[in-house]
Amino acid sequence: MEVEELPKANVKRIVKEKLAQLGKEGQDDLNVQKEALLAFSESARIFIHYLSATANDICKESKRQTVNAEDVFKALEEIEFQEFVGPLRASLNAFRRKKADKSDKKAKERNRKRKSEEELSCNNGNVAVSEDVDGSNAEEDGHKDVDASHDL
Protein backbone atom coordinates (compact mmCIF):
# COMPACT_ATOMS: atom_id res chain seq x y z
CA MET A 1 0.00 0.00 0.00
CA GLU A 2 1.42 3.35 -1.07
CA VAL A 3 1.50 6.04 1.60
CA GLU A 4 0.29 9.43 0.40
CA GLU A 5 2.30 12.41 1.55
CA LEU A 6 0.86 15.78 2.40
CA PRO A 7 1.74 18.58 -0.02
CA LYS A 8 5.18 19.81 1.07
CA ALA A 9 4.53 23.44 0.11
CA ASN A 10 1.36 23.54 2.23
CA VAL A 11 3.09 21.94 5.22
CA LYS A 12 5.98 24.39 4.94
CA ARG A 13 3.62 27.38 4.71
CA ILE A 14 1.53 26.26 7.70
CA VAL A 15 4.59 25.50 9.85
CA LYS A 16 6.24 28.83 9.03
CA GLU A 17 3.01 30.78 9.70
CA LYS A 18 2.47 29.07 13.04
CA LEU A 19 6.09 29.51 14.12
CA ALA A 20 5.92 33.18 13.15
CA GLN A 21 2.76 33.58 15.28
CA LEU A 22 4.43 31.95 18.26
CA GLY A 23 7.81 33.60 17.77
CA LYS A 24 9.07 37.07 18.49
CA GLU A 25 8.29 40.05 16.28
CA GLY A 26 10.75 40.64 13.48
CA GLN A 27 11.24 36.91 12.81
CA ASP A 28 9.29 36.93 9.56
CA ASP A 29 12.07 35.18 7.67
CA LEU A 30 12.11 31.85 9.50
CA ASN A 31 13.86 28.84 8.07
CA VAL A 32 12.90 25.29 8.88
CA GLN A 33 15.20 22.38 8.19
CA LYS A 34 14.11 19.85 5.61
CA GLU A 35 14.10 17.06 8.20
CA ALA A 36 11.91 19.11 10.54
CA LEU A 37 9.40 19.72 7.73
CA LEU A 38 9.41 16.00 6.98
CA ALA A 39 8.75 15.28 10.68
CA PHE A 40 5.86 17.78 10.74
CA SER A 41 4.42 16.30 7.56
CA GLU A 42 4.66 12.71 8.77
CA SER A 43 3.21 13.61 12.19
CA ALA A 44 0.27 15.37 10.56
CA ARG A 45 -0.30 12.44 8.19
CA ILE A 46 -0.36 9.97 11.08
CA PHE A 47 -2.67 12.22 13.11
CA ILE A 48 -5.08 12.53 10.16
CA HIS A 49 -5.03 8.75 9.66
CA TYR A 50 -5.67 8.08 13.36
CA LEU A 51 -8.44 10.68 13.56
CA SER A 52 -10.17 9.45 10.39
CA ALA A 53 -9.98 5.79 11.51
CA THR A 54 -11.50 6.71 14.88
CA ALA A 55 -14.24 8.80 13.22
CA ASN A 56 -14.94 5.90 10.85
CA ASP A 57 -15.31 3.53 13.83
CA ILE A 58 -17.77 5.95 15.46
CA CYS A 59 -19.69 6.13 12.19
CA LYS A 60 -19.88 2.33 11.89
CA GLU A 61 -21.06 2.05 15.53
CA SER A 62 -23.96 4.30 14.52
CA LYS A 63 -24.69 1.92 11.62
CA ARG A 64 -23.94 4.56 8.99
CA GLN A 65 -21.57 4.51 6.04
CA THR A 66 -20.77 8.21 5.73
CA VAL A 67 -18.52 9.98 8.23
CA ASN A 68 -19.91 13.37 9.23
CA ALA A 69 -18.58 16.34 11.20
CA GLU A 70 -20.07 15.10 14.48
CA ASP A 71 -18.15 11.84 14.07
CA VAL A 72 -14.93 13.84 13.75
CA PHE A 73 -15.77 15.92 16.84
CA LYS A 74 -16.48 12.76 18.85
CA ALA A 75 -13.28 11.18 17.54
CA LEU A 76 -11.25 14.21 18.66
CA GLU A 77 -12.70 13.82 22.14
CA GLU A 78 -12.08 10.06 22.10
CA ILE A 79 -8.40 10.47 21.19
CA GLU A 80 -8.13 13.18 23.86
CA PHE A 81 -7.84 16.25 21.63
CA GLN A 82 -11.03 17.89 22.91
CA GLU A 83 -9.30 21.31 22.86
CA PHE A 84 -9.58 21.17 19.06
CA VAL A 85 -13.37 20.71 19.05
CA GLY A 86 -14.29 24.34 19.86
CA PRO A 87 -12.06 26.00 17.25
CA LEU A 88 -12.97 23.34 14.68
CA ARG A 89 -16.71 23.88 15.27
CA ALA A 90 -16.21 27.63 14.87
CA SER A 91 -14.31 27.11 11.60
CA LEU A 92 -16.96 24.71 10.29
CA ASN A 93 -19.77 27.15 11.15
CA ALA A 94 -17.90 30.00 9.43
CA PHE A 95 -17.38 27.79 6.37
CA ARG A 96 -21.06 26.85 6.28
CA ARG A 97 -22.14 30.51 6.58
CA LYS A 98 -19.77 31.49 3.77
CA LYS A 99 -21.04 28.63 1.61
CA ALA A 100 -24.67 29.61 2.31
CA ASP A 101 -23.92 33.23 1.42
CA LYS A 102 -22.38 32.12 -1.88
CA SER A 103 -25.42 29.93 -2.61
CA ASP A 104 -27.75 32.84 -1.84
CA LYS A 105 -25.77 35.15 -4.12
CA LYS A 106 -25.82 32.57 -6.93
CA ALA A 107 -29.59 32.07 -6.55
CA LYS A 108 -30.19 35.83 -6.60
CA GLU A 109 -27.98 36.16 -9.71
CA ARG A 110 -29.88 33.34 -11.46
CA ASN A 111 -33.22 34.99 -10.59
CA ARG A 112 -31.96 38.38 -11.81
CA LYS A 113 -30.79 36.84 -15.11
CA ARG A 114 -34.06 34.95 -15.55
CA LYS A 115 -36.12 38.08 -14.92
CA SER A 116 -34.05 40.16 -17.34
CA GLU A 117 -34.37 37.43 -19.99
CA GLU A 118 -38.15 37.32 -19.44
CA GLU A 119 -38.37 41.10 -19.73
CA LEU A 120 -36.28 41.05 -22.90
CA SER A 121 -38.47 38.30 -24.32
CA CYS A 122 -41.66 40.25 -23.55
CA ASN A 123 -40.22 43.48 -24.92
CA ASN A 124 -39.30 41.82 -28.21
CA GLY A 125 -42.91 40.77 -28.74
CA ASN A 126 -42.30 37.11 -28.04
CA VAL A 127 -45.10 35.23 -26.38
CA ALA A 128 -44.14 33.70 -23.05
CA VAL A 129 -46.08 30.50 -22.36
CA SER A 130 -46.28 29.02 -18.89
CA GLU A 131 -47.95 25.87 -17.68
CA ASP A 132 -50.84 26.25 -15.22
CA VAL A 133 -51.23 23.99 -12.19
CA ASP A 134 -53.72 21.84 -14.10
CA GLY A 135 -51.18 21.29 -16.89
CA SER A 136 -52.84 23.51 -19.48
CA ASN A 137 -50.87 26.26 -21.25
CA ALA A 138 -51.62 29.88 -20.39
CA GLU A 139 -50.02 32.95 -21.93
CA GLU A 140 -48.71 35.88 -19.97
CA ASP A 141 -49.20 39.59 -20.75
CA GLY A 142 -52.79 39.15 -21.99
CA HIS A 143 -51.97 37.46 -25.31
CA LYS A 144 -54.36 34.90 -26.79
CA ASP A 145 -53.99 31.21 -25.96
CA VAL A 146 -51.76 29.16 -28.23
CA ASP A 147 -52.71 25.60 -29.05
CA ALA A 148 -49.41 23.65 -28.79
CA SER A 149 -51.08 20.55 -30.33
CA HIS A 150 -51.83 22.34 -33.63
CA ASP A 151 -50.82 20.22 -36.64
CA LEU A 152 -47.77 21.52 -38.46
Side-chain angles (χ1 to χ4, degrees), residues 84-141:
F84 289 178
V85 173
L88 183 58
R89 272 191 201 277
S91 292
L92 179 61
N93 289 335
F95 172 78
R96 286 177 174 166
R97 280 191 302 274
K98 188 176 180 180
K99 187 176 176 183
D101 289 347
K102 283 183 180 179
S103 294
D104 289 345
K105 286 179 183 177
K106 285 182 180 179
K108 287 178 184 177
E109 180 65 21
R110 280 193 306 270
N111 285 338
R112 188 187 63 74
K113 282 183 179 179
R114 183 183 51 78
K115 285 180 182 179
S116 66
E117 288 172 357
E118 286 175 356
E119 289 174 4
L120 181 63
S121 176
C122 287
N123 290 340
N124 288 337
N126 292 340
V127 177
V129 178
S130 65
E131 192 167 299
D132 286 342
V133 177
D134 65 356
S136 64
N137 288 336
E139 287 187 29
E140 298 174 358
D141 296 329

Side-chain angles (χ1 to χ4, degrees), residues 2-151:
E2 186 178 321
V3 176
E4 290 190 32
E5 292 183 9
L6 297 175
K8 292 176 185 175
N10 291 353
V11 172
K12 184 176 183 176
R13 180 183 45 81
I14 292 168
V15 168
K16 288 180 90 170
E17 284 176 5
K18 193 61 179 175
L19 289 175
Q21 286 176 355
L22 298 173
K24 298 176 184 174
E25 289 185 33
Q27 289 185 335
D28 295 336
D29 190 27
L30 291 171
N31 289 319
V32 182
Q33 289 183 345
K34 190 175 183 177
E35 293 84 14
L37 286 174
L38 183 61
F40 278 118
S41 181
E42 186 64 12
S43 299
R45 189 189 64 75
I46 291 169
F47 176 77
I48 292 167
H49 178 76
Y50 185 46
L51 177 62
S52 59
T54 305
N56 189 47
D57 290 345
I58 290 168
C59 176
K60 284 183 179 180
E61 287 171 7
S62 299
K63 295 184 169 93
R64 290 180 288 108
Q65 293 183 354
T66 304
V67 175
N68 62 34
E70 286 303 315
D71 297 329
V72 176
F73 296 141
K74 288 176 186 174
L76 282 167
E77 291 173 357
E78 191 171 304
I79 64 174
E80 299 182 12
F81 281 92
Q82 50 270 31
E83 67 272 14
F84 289 178
V85 173
L88 183 58
R89 272 191 201 277
S91 292
L92 179 61
N93 289 335
F95 172 78
R96 286 177 174 166
R97 280 191 302 274
K98 188 176 180 180
K99 187 176 176 183
D101 289 347
K102 283 183 180 179
S103 294
D104 289 345
K105 286 179 183 177
K106 285 182 180 179
K108 287 178 184 177
E109 180 65 21
R110 280 193 306 270
N111 285 338
R112 188 187 63 74
K113 282 183 179 179
R114 183 183 51 78
K115 285 180 182 179
S116 66
E117 288 172 357
E118 286 175 356
E119 289 174 4
L120 181 63
S121 176
C122 287
N123 290 340
N124 288 337
N126 292 340
V127 177
V129 178
S130 65
E131 192 167 299
D132 286 342
V133 177
D134 65 356
S136 64
N137 288 336
E139 287 187 29
E140 298 174 358
D141 296 329
H143 294 286
K144 294 181 181 177
D145 287 333
V146 175
D147 184 6
S149 64
H150 191 303
D151 293 332

